[in-house]
Structure formats: C-alpha cells, structure tokens
Amino acid sequence: MLKKDLVDRVSSELSMQKQDVSLAVDIMLDAMSKALIEERRIELRGFGSFSVRSRKPRSTKNPRTGKIMEIPDRKTLHFTMSKSLKEALISETE
C-alpha cells in the first residue's frame, strides 16, 4: 500500500478532504521519525511496535574478492507485530 492509497482510503471512510488527511499522515510520520531518531519506542496498539536496535560491528568476507571487510556498528529499525495482527495473519493463511 502506498501513502496515496492510505490517504485515499482514510479520506473516503471519514468523508474528509484528501489534503487534510495527507497533512495528518505527514505529521504522524514526521512525529514517528523524530521519535525513532531519539531512539524512543513507538507502540500502535492493535498493530505493533517500532524500536531502534544497535547492531555490533563485525567482520565479513566479500564472496567475490575474498577480502575481509569490517562492518561498523549501526542502528536498525525493528518492528514487532501485535498479537491480534499476528493471529489475523495466521488465520488468513489457514
């Protein structure tokens, strides 16, 4: 689903103008981005949670050249789905 699809669906369900819904989505995504940059956890009940995790530095081998490469530590985004979303996905596949 694209951002445009989300805006279209919300605006049609709430009978609101697309411009207003688009602005609300932009504000929400901006607030979420800022919270994650500050390494704060975001929890959306019924959907899931987002958090920032740190990965340790490591060494790896380039399969093409055989050269050992050092990968520095970095931060990654982690998503954990809610129990209700997980159950809905599992029941849909059965």
Side-chain angles (χ1 to χ4, degrees):
M1 174 180 268
L2 300 174
K3 180 179 159 186
K4 178 187 177 301
D5 300 328
L6 178 64
V7 169
D8 290 343
R9 183 158 181 187
V10 171
S11 67
S12 67
E13 286 192 28
L14 295 178
S15 301
M16 294 178 66
Q17 290 185 356
K18 289 181 183 179
Q19 293 172 329
D20 296 336
V21 173
S22 180
L23 179 61
V25 169
D26 287 339
I27 291 169
M28 184 184 77
L29 292 174
D30 185 51
M32 290 175 69
S33 296
K34 287 179 182 176
L36 290 168
I37 289 169
E38 295 170 1
E39 295 190 33
R40 293 184 2 227
R41 185 173 180 266
I42 298 171
E43 183 176 332
L44 303 173
R45 299 278 167 116
F47 182 70
S49 63
F50 298 89
S51 60
V52 176
R53 291 193 177 172
S54 296
R55 296 190 68 182
K56 295 179 182 178
R58 61 189 172 99
S59 299
T60 187
K61 185 177 180 180
N62 183 333
R64 183 177 233 172
T65 64
K67 183 178 175 184
I68 301 294
M69 299 172 25
E70 297 296 323
I71 299 176
D73 60 332
R74 60 184 172 164
K75 295 178 183 175
T76 60
L77 181 62
H78 180 75
F79 174 74
T80 305
M81 73 178 87
S82 70
K83 184 177 178 182
S84 59
L85 178 59
K86 189 174 189 176
E87 289 171 355
L89 287 174
I90 291 171
S91 67
E92 185 177 294
T93 59
E94 293 177 349

